[in-house]
Amino acid sequence: LNNLRTPKLPRNYIGAALGGLGLTVGGYVLVNHGMYNVEGGHRAILYSRLGGISNVVQGEGTHFKIPWLHRPYVYNVRSTPRSVKSLTGSRDLQMVDINLRVIYRPMVEKLPDMYRTLGLDYDERILPSIVNEVLKSVVAQYNAIELIVKREQVSAEVRSRLQDRAKDFFIVLDDVSITHLAFSPQFTQAVESKQVAQQDAERSKWIVEKALEEKKSIIIAAQGEAEAATLIAKAVSSNPGFVQLRGIQYARDVAETIAGSSNKVHINSDALLVSGLARDLAAKPK
């Protein structure tokens, strides 16, 4: 054993091995701790232990950082929908349940200021409070019926006020709309009862108007019959041949009805009132 000697490695081999190990460790640290990615639709701001939050907003892609010294914060800058519910009172003291949908995104150029004042969860901190604030101030100006009839006007006013309010917190609202509007069950039942009463009143009014029109038509028909009777009486008194003319017209109508029938009918001349006409003609002096 005393004669065995430990082989000596060449110095350049040891240096190459240490260099390879250093590159491996450095590459691992660089890839895992010295770089970060910003995905599409996102932006990043960089925090430094020496200088704090940088005012430069990092765009999409891969960026470098110094491990331990730098820490990135990534924001989603896509338009994001969110629904906020609010229970508020109208001008006539009716409770209104409103569901408001907002589509929001942060102001990219204001991300450093947003992080300093609000942090990453800015939407949870700000949107519920300002939505409830604006809804209560706008809804209080309308009564319950106006909220239904003027829904578009109410929605537009809420949108304008909410967009102005959100700018104070570096938030852009792309769209604001009322998706649900409901009242208390008692108010809903009262409105339905009022509608039914109005329909009944309109129906009663229509029935009365119909009866008046029928009365007018009966009076007009009676007046027409009376005038016709007067005219007939005058015609008979002034011209006795008028009665004979009516008899001939009646006989002709009866004859046309019988001729058009498929049945065979045997009647005498008296039935057609023709015999009376013949007697009158025979009685006249020649």
Side-chain angles (χ1 to χ4, degrees):
L1 295 176
N2 294 329
N3 295 327
L4 295 177
R5 296 180 180 179
T6 304
K8 295 182 179 180
L9 298 176
R11 292 184 178 180
N12 55 355
Y13 178 80
I14 297 175
L18 292 177
L21 180 61
L23 289 175
T24 302
V25 174
Y28 173 82
V29 173
L30 178 64
V31 172
N32 290 276
H33 300 282
M35 301 172 61
Y36 64 95
N37 291 325
V38 179
E39 303 293 338
H42 294 71
R43 297 292 185 272
I45 56 175
L46 199 62
Y47 168 77
S48 174
R49 293 181 182 270
L50 299 178
I53 293 294
S54 172
N55 291 324
V56 178
V57 179
Q58 304 292 336
E60 302 170 0
T62 301
H63 305 274
F64 293 96
K65 66 175 182 175
I66 300 176
W68 183 84
L69 183 64
H70 292 155
R71 185 165 61 246
Y73 295 100
V74 180
Y75 277 88
N76 181 7
V77 295
R78 297 190 185 103
S79 295
T80 306
R82 181 187 178 96
S83 294
V84 181
K85 292 184 177 181
S86 177
L87 183 64
T88 183
S90 62
R91 188 175 62 187
D92 53 353
L93 303 181
Q94 294 294 332
M95 299 307 297
V96 187
D97 186 12
I98 301 179
N99 190 6
L100 193 72
R101 190 198 66 166
V102 296
I103 298 179
Y104 67 95
R105 55 185 172 86
M107 296 181 182
V108 175
E109 66 278 5
K110 296 294 184 179
L111 289 180
D113 296 329
M114 176 177 284
Y115 183 80
R116 291 188 184 100
T117 56
L118 302 174
L120 293 174
D121 56 343
Y122 65 95
D123 53 340
E124 295 290 342
R125 293 171 178 263
I126 300 303
L127 288 180
S129 60
I130 64 173
V131 167
N132 279 280
E133 174 190 349
V134 171
L135 280 177
K136 290 181 183 299
S137 63
V138 173
V139 172
Q141 301 176 7
Y142 299 88
N143 58 39
I145 301 300
E146 290 176 341
L147 290 175
I148 299 175
V149 177
K150 302 179 180 179
R151 181 166 178 168
E152 293 184 0
Q153 178 179 340
V154 175
S155 181
E157 187 172 351
V158 170
R159 182 186 305 110
S160 177
R161 291 195 182 187
L162 198 56
Q163 287 175 341
D164 293 339
R165 192 75 175 91
K167 289 179 182 178
D168 297 336
F169 302 97
F170 319 115
I171 300 174
V172 178
L173 298 182
D174 295 326
D175 184 65
V176 178
S177 58
I178 298 175
T179 58
H180 179 72
L181 183 66
F183 300 92
S184 63
Q186 295 80 5
F187 178 77
T188 303
Q189 184 177 1
V191 172
E192 292 178 354
S193 300
K194 182 178 179 180
Q195 293 295 328
V196 172
Q198 289 178 349
Q199 292 176 0
D200 292 341
E202 291 294 331
R203 180 174 177 81
S204 301
K205 181 179 178 181
W206 177 78
I207 292 174
V208 172
E209 292 178 352
K210 181 181 178 182
L212 291 175
E213 292 298 327
E214 290 178 351
K215 180 180 178 181
K216 289 180 181 179
S217 63
I218 293 173
I219 293 173
I220 293 173
Q223 290 176 350
E225 292 177 357
E227 292 179 358
T230 303
L231 293 175
I232 292 173
K234 290 181 180 180
V236 171
S237 61
S238 61
N239 187 8
F242 179 77
V243 177
Q244 296 177 357
L245 178 62
R246 284 302 180 94
I248 294 172
Q249 292 175 349
Y250 175 75
R252 185 187 62 184
D253 294 339
V254 173
E256 290 178 352
T257 302
I258 295 174
S261 175
S262 60
N263 300 322
K264 294 182 179 180
V265 180
H266 299 279
I267 59 176
N268 55 22
S269 59
D270 292 335
L272 292 175
L273 303 177
V274 178
S275 58
L277 179 60
R279 286 193 297 270
D280 292 339
L281 292 175
K284 289 183 178 181
K286 295 182 182 180

